Amino acid sequence: VLAWLAVAAMVVNIASGLTGKFLVQRSQRWLNQARTDLHDAGCSDKTIEERLFWDSMAADLMRQWRKIHLPIALAFAVLATAHIVTIFLFWGWR
């Protein structure tokens, strides 16, 4: 059972990591592009910040993803370590 728990934690960890990294990068690129487009359109800095306020809040929220990903990674590390330790403890048993 321990091995399957470690595998499940690994799959969740990988999915969380890849999805979070993709979404953070995408939101940052979109926000930078929107800021550049508004600047090129001649908007003032204050207007740009007002128009992109909610978008920047969403991007900041996406950066908080690591607070969720870190405990998932820790759970995987604990389960994988426990699995490896139990293998060595019961190595000679049949």
Side-chain angles (χ1 to χ4, degrees), residues 9 12-14 16 67-77:
V12 170
N13 187 32
I14 290 170
S16 168
K67 289 182 181 178
I68 295 170
H69 180 67
L70 228 49
I72 294 170
L74 180 63
F76 166 64

Side-chain angles (χ1 to χ4, degrees), residues 21-59:
K21 184 177 179 179
F22 172 75
L23 291 176
V24 167
Q25 288 177 351
R26 185 175 179 193
S27 67
Q28 287 295 88
R29 271 185 279 147
W30 187 90
L31 192 60
N32 290 336
Q33 184 62 42
R35 197 172 272 130
T36 302
D37 291 345
L38 288 172
H39 189 276
D40 291 345
C43 294
S44 68
D45 289 341
K46 184 177 179 182
T47 305
I48 292 172
E49 292 305 316
E50 287 174 358
R51 285 189 183 179
L52 296 179
F53 175 75
W54 290 110
D55 297 326
S56 66
M57 292 294 287

